[in-house]
Amino acid sequence: MITKESILSILAQVSDPEVPVLSILDLGIVRDIQIHDDDKVDIGITPTYSGCPAMSMIAVNIKMELLAHGLKQVNIHEVLSPAWTTDWMTEEGKQKLNAYGIAPPQYNTANNPHERDAVVPCPLCESKDTVLVSQFGSTACKALYKCNSCLEPFDYFKCH
Ligand SMILES: [Zn+2]
């Protein structure tokens, strides 16, 4: 018997192609799960950054993972509104990001839209003495920072 919980435990194994330590549940992009006839499922996902090519890959990965777990038919549709924000990322997801060496979003965009003022602690040594090097890091979703304490550069997952 397929339940929403069993679907969620399968989706927890689908990772973000850009940051493999994050599952799509950590990202908070799964908006809707509908189960029909026990072996058909409809999943609604909200795209993250519009410039991120990862979404079609995520959709394919969701499909493959669910089919591998015995579902017969998997439909994935995009839920474009409301738009995804980094506020939807789980606390666990943020901790995983930090452990992976990427500074997680520092602000809740709903409460504080002024990300420019963000102090981004270094994920390596936790120093707050860091500087923005470039608004665009390894991908458009990330900014490149450098730590003045340990001198290491690191990516910051920008609030959005
Ligand atoms: Zn550092």
Side-chain angles (χ1 to χ4, degrees):
M1 168 92 185
I2 297 287
T3 62
K4 198 169 168 181
E5 283 67 36
S6 62
I7 299 286
L8 282 171
S9 70
I10 297 168
L11 294 180
Q13 296 163 40
V14 179
S15 59
D16 174 11
E18 296 207 344
V19 188
V21 290
L22 291 184
S23 78
I24 56 170
L25 297 182
D26 292 325
L27 277 174
I29 61 170
V30 177
R31 306 315 308 160
D32 183 37
I33 298 173
Q34 307 272 354
I35 300 158
H36 313 281
D37 309 334
D38 249 18
D39 54 6
K40 290 182 197 136
V41 67
D42 260 298
I43 311 270
I45 55 175
T46 297
T48 52
Y49 294 79
S50 52
C52 272
M55 285 316 284
S56 54
M57 204 163 150
I58 288 175
V60 169
N61 290 347
I62 290 174
K63 228 173 209 180
M64 285 183 2
E65 197 68 40
L66 289 170
L67 293 175
H69 281 82
L71 281 126
K72 295 279 182 287
Q73 198 183 319
V74 178
N75 289 315
I76 296 176
H77 61 275
E78 290 195 340
V79 180
L80 294 175
S81 177
W84 182 81
T85 134
T86 43
D87 299 349
W88 296 359
M89 197 181 284
T90 64
E91 277 311 309
E92 196 190 337
K94 288 179 185 175
Q95 284 165 19
K96 286 187 196 170
L97 260 186
N98 202 60
Y100 186 63
I102 299 175
Q106 294 295 316
Y107 281 107
N108 188 309
T109 62
N111 300 338
N112 190 336
H114 302 298
E115 197 196 0
R116 269 172 307 211
D117 307 330
V119 173
V120 180
C122 171
L124 306 168
C125 72
E126 295 176 18
S127 166
K128 289 186 172 154
D129 185 10
T130 61
V131 287
L132 174 68
V133 177
S134 164
Q135 275 296 343
F136 298 96
S138 57
T139 69
C141 327
K142 304 186 196 83
L144 183 65
Y145 272 73
K146 187 172 163 250
C147 175
N148 287 328
S149 296
C150 70
L151 303 178
E152 290 293 326
F154 63 90
D155 272 336
Y156 169 50
F157 202 112
K158 288 188 275 190
C159 297
H160 170 80

